[in-house]
Amino acid sequence: MTANILLVEDEPAIQELLAFNVTQCGFRAIQATDVASATLEINRALPDLILLDWMLPDIPGVELARRLRADPRTRNVPIIMLTARSEERDKVRGLESGADDYITKPFSPRELMARIRAVLRRRMPQMSEETVSVAGLELSPVTHRVNAKGINLELGPTEFRILHFFMTHAERVYSRAQLLDHVWGDHVFVEERTVDVHIRRLRQALEPSGLDNLVQTVRGSGYRFSPD
């Protein structure tokens, strides 16, 4: 699954460098030059990660980070702070504002991409390209293949995304609304019952391997993926 990365940076040269490297790594770059334009993009659709410059022309990036962490809709969006400030107290302040990581300018594009991948693996494991193995299932995001006890499964794109999300978030119960946000995105407006249709298709695809019982219905709450 391609991650959408919001780049909030007012220096054109750095903005273009970020966009180039993010795109080269297979991510989608969304560009903003200040907090106002970043807020418009966030309201339009939640990004999967935000690269946020500290010094912006309207409001400091640390203030935007605090606002995002205070809002239930945006509090879980990963944030990497970019800044020329290198003193320890500034790093602490950046992290205390809600940033997941902190990188000082000038930075190596290779290091930045490694940091992005590390934060995505930690905060949003379904965005990782690493193969996931759980309870006899093996899913490869790169090849878009799923193997279940030696059986190659044919999954549609939505069922693949649901299974990837479930396998990286085992044992937790998710409501239909939460699954819509995590799998479809909060900017997509579809009926909650659409989730039931795709869960049914996913179970049917898992049936030949006998692993369809991994996807459990929790009455009155939603669905859970349980290897136990």
Side-chain angles (χ1 to χ4, degrees), residues 140-158:
S140 170
V142 175
T143 63
H144 208 275
R145 290 180 177 173
V146 178
N147 185 283
K149 294 183 175 179
I151 301 172
N152 290 320
L153 305 183
E154 294 294 331
L155 297 182
T158 302

Side-chain angles (χ1 to χ4, degrees), residues 138-182:
E138 185 176 275
L139 180 150
S140 170
V142 175
T143 63
H144 208 275
R145 290 180 177 173
V146 178
N147 185 283
K149 294 183 175 179
I151 301 172
N152 290 320
L153 305 183
E154 294 294 331
L155 297 182
T158 302
E159 289 74 43
F160 185 90
R161 292 198 303 271
I162 292 172
L163 182 59
H164 193 189
F165 179 77
F166 273 150
M167 290 177 69
T168 53
H169 296 81
E171 297 296 347
R172 178 174 171 179
V173 178
Y174 288 91
S175 68
R176 293 180 182 88
Q178 288 173 323
L179 286 172
L180 284 173
D181 283 350
H182 287 295

Side-chain angles (χ1 to χ4, degrees), residues 35 64 138:
V35 169
L64 176 59
E138 185 176 275

Side-chain angles (χ1 to χ4, degrees), residues 10 73 220 222:
D10 65 319
R73 176 175 173 264

Side-chain angles (χ1 to χ4, degrees), residues 6-11 15 31-42 50-61 64 67:
L6 176 60
L7 314 174
V8 191
E9 168 63 62
D10 65 319
E11 295 185 37
Q15 175 72 260
Q31 296 174 266
T33 57
D34 52 28
V35 169
S37 57
T39 301
L40 287 175
E41 293 293 345
I42 293 167
I50 300 174
L51 290 180
L52 179 59
D53 186 31
W54 184 309
M55 298 299 292
L56 293 168
D58 49 359
I59 298 170
L64 176 59
R67 292 180 185 180

Side-chain angles (χ1 to χ4, degrees), residues 131-140 145-153 155 163-164 166-167 202 205-207 209-215 225-227:
T131 297
V132 186
S133 298
V134 180
L137 279 172
E138 185 176 275
L139 180 150
S140 170
R145 290 180 177 173
V146 178
N147 185 283
K149 294 183 175 179
I151 301 172
N152 290 320
L153 305 183
L155 297 182
L163 182 59
H164 193 189
F166 273 150
M167 290 177 69
L202 175 58
L206 291 170
E207 275 181 5
S209 65
L211 296 177
D212 51 300
N213 61 341
L214 293 175
V215 181
F225 182 86
S226 179

Side-chain angles (χ1 to χ4, degrees), residues 96-127:
E96 287 180 343
S97 73
D100 294 271
D101 202 353
Y102 185 108
I103 189 165
T104 55
K105 302 175 184 177
F107 52 82
S108 157
R110 181 176 296 180
E111 179 189 4
L112 180 60
M113 292 305 109
R115 298 281 191 97
I116 288 174
R117 291 192 177 97
V119 170
L120 286 173
R121 279 197 303 270
R122 187 168 68 248
R123 291 290 296 268
M124 303 186 72
Q126 75 274 18
M127 289 296 171

Side-chain angles (χ1 to χ4, degrees), residues 14-25:
I14 297 178
Q15 175 72 260
E16 289 307 310
L17 176 65
L18 292 172
F20 174 79
N21 283 281
V22 161
T23 303
Q24 286 292 105
C25 288

